[in-house]
Amino acid sequence: MANVTKQASTRFSIVKRSKGQSAVEKASYISRSILVSEFDGQTYRPKYHEDLVHSEITLPPNAPKEYADRATLWNAVELSEKGQKSQLARMLKASLPNEWSYELAEEVVRDYVQRNFVDKGMCADWAIHDSENDKGQRNLHIHVLLTMRPLTENGEWGAKQKKVYDLDENGEKIPVIDKKTGQQKVDKRNRKQWKCHTADSTDWNSKENAKMWRKDLADTINATNEQLGIAVHWEHRSFKEQGIDKEPTIHIGAVANALERKGIQTERGNINREITKNNLLLEQAKEMLMLAKQELHSAQYATYKSTQIKNTAVSREKCQQVGIEVMEMIAKVRERKGRLDLPIVSGKHLRKISD
């Protein structure tokens, strides 16, 4: 039975051309290799140094064999997208247990990527990194870059969306009626018009997928840890889903992370430090509230017992004395715990406590 709980760290994002992003650049980054983009003519070189443990491309059966080459795959993706607002790829970054060997991590990640993405028809370019901060703390993690267009049976890129006809209660197509003539509309080529809408060709963009993929990774890690006798349970649910009054830290990113390692404070790093500080104050406030409740309960119980014995009502002076004792107790807790005045005064923190 695991006796330590660790919050699973996963982050999904979309590589968007509208943000000046490139799938070739992302592939260069995760693989630590130099790649040239045929779309914009740029040569991408990794700027940040991490220890590359392993990189690999996993393809579905109907993908062209040449897509096993990283440059060929992602240049094909870039050239298949014509729009300036095109979504080029989906990215996943997730932590792995630092207790794992590289060989084990490679085996587990390959299985996870195959089951969750490649078996669904996506091409997956994935890598394992093992970075280390200035305190010697490891950070074993994975990057997965996924295609967003489905592949046809002959290996060509398919459409992201398709036309779906609206059907009536009998399962029949619904005609588009011309209000003036009362007849079914026809197009310029004299084809009848039917009510329809567009829908994604696949379910890959479903918001539920992120939760499912996150849970599967945590379940996979937990099953592996159990076999290895590692007493750490990885929790995939967010603090909110667990009912925990705690604010999660934000993703710091590669650029800010590199600066933080050099001792240079960044905006996102400062945000996380503020979140950590506020979470500590919140925990102190909750502990103070719990102690106050316990003290008040003890005082009320003692008063009740005294009332039972003497069969007299508690005097107003006694009630006031109970209140004084509780306030004295709070003052002692504050002296022992430090800055507890902020969460008491600030509604921002007080609203996070249900009571």
Side-chain angles (χ1 to χ4, degrees), residues 167-204:
L167 304 177
D168 59 20
E169 62 274 11
N170 298 319
E172 300 292 336
K173 291 190 295 185
I174 303 173
V176 178
I177 304 299
D178 190 317
K179 293 182 180 179
K180 293 182 179 180
T181 64
Q183 302 296 317
Q184 183 176 6
K185 285 185 177 181
V186 295
D187 62 14
K188 294 180 179 180
R189 288 185 284 182
N190 204 33
R191 295 180 303 184
K192 292 181 178 181
Q193 298 294 289
W194 307 92
K195 290 186 178 180
C196 61
H197 64 277
T198 58
D200 289 339
S201 300
T202 68
D203 64 352
W204 301 347

Side-chain angles (χ1 to χ4, degrees), residues 26-289:
K26 298 300 182 183
S28 169
Y29 172 79
I30 70 172
S31 65
R32 298 310 193 210
S33 60
I34 299 175
L35 296 178
V36 179
S37 172
E38 298 175 15
F39 179 80
D40 57 22
Q42 292 194 47
T43 298
Y44 292 100
R45 296 178 174 85
K47 298 179 181 179
Y48 305 103
H49 299 284
E50 282 181 289
D51 292 331
L52 177 66
V53 175
H54 179 79
S55 64
E56 183 175 322
I57 291 179
T58 310
L59 302 174
N62 57 325
K65 302 296 184 184
E66 56 267 28
Y67 284 178
D69 175 73
R70 184 167 286 106
T72 302
L73 170 62
W74 294 111
N75 273 302
V77 167
E78 290 274 5
L79 295 175
S80 70
E81 301 293 346
K82 308 302 181 182
Q84 292 302 313
K85 296 183 179 180
S86 295
Q87 295 185 345
L88 306 172
R90 178 176 284 104
M91 286 193 70
L92 162 64
K93 180 181 179 182
S95 295
L96 296 175
N98 291 324
E99 298 87 350
W100 286 8
S101 67
Y102 292 160
E103 293 76 14
L104 175 63
E106 180 181 331
E107 178 183 346
V108 172
V109 173
R110 182 179 293 110
D111 173 71
Y112 171 77
V113 169
Q114 182 72 45
R115 288 186 293 103
N116 286 277
F117 309 120
V118 180
D119 285 350
K120 303 296 188 296
M122 306 177 215
C123 301
D125 186 357
W126 56 277
I128 302 175
H129 293 177
D130 186 15
S131 59
E132 186 175 294
N133 62 20
D134 54 0
K135 297 180 182 178
Q137 298 171 324
R138 289 179 58 200
N139 178 24
L140 189 65
H141 59 279
I142 60 171
H143 295 270
V144 185
L145 194 61
L146 302 163
T147 53
M148 299 187 70
R149 280 188 181 273
L151 285 165
T152 61
E153 291 183 1
N154 59 4
E156 296 179 354
W157 297 114
K160 291 180 180 177
Q161 291 187 322
K162 60 184 178 181
K163 181 168 69 173
V164 179
Y165 288 104
D166 297 335
L167 304 177
D168 59 20
E169 62 274 11
N170 298 319
E172 300 292 336
K173 291 190 295 185
I174 303 173
V176 178
I177 304 299
D178 190 317
K179 293 182 180 179
K180 293 182 179 180
T181 64
Q183 302 296 317
Q184 183 176 6
K185 285 185 177 181
V186 295
D187 62 14
K188 294 180 179 180
R189 288 185 284 182
N190 204 33
R191 295 180 303 184
K192 292 181 178 181
Q193 298 294 289
W194 307 92
K195 290 186 178 180
C196 61
H197 64 277
T198 58
D200 289 339
S201 300
T202 68
D203 64 352
W204 301 347
N205 286 330
S206 171
K207 293 182 179 179
E208 294 302 315
N209 276 336
K211 293 182 180 180
M212 180 181 67
W213 293 331
R214 179 181 172 90
K215 181 180 185 301
D216 188 271
L217 180 60
D219 290 343
T220 300
I221 290 175
N222 288 330
T224 305
N225 280 349
E226 185 176 355
Q227 292 179 353
L228 298 174
I230 300 175
V232 179
H233 176 79
W234 285 53
E235 176 58 63
H236 71 279
R237 294 173 300 170
S238 66
F239 290 141
K240 183 178 181 180
E241 290 171 330
Q242 296 177 67
I244 297 177
D245 288 328
K246 190 175 182 180
E247 184 179 0
T249 54
I250 64 173
H251 176 69
I252 195 170
V255 177
N257 191 43
L259 293 173
E260 290 282 344
R261 289 180 192 170
K262 296 178 181 179
I264 303 174
Q265 292 194 354
T266 63
E267 180 180 357
R268 299 183 74 82
N270 289 335
I271 291 174
N272 276 346
R273 279 183 279 275
E274 183 67 18
I275 290 174
T276 301
K277 173 185 172 183
N278 290 342
N279 283 337
L280 177 60
L281 291 171
L282 179 60
E283 288 301 314
Q284 292 175 336
K286 289 164 66 177
E287 183 177 348
M288 179 206 67
L289 178 63

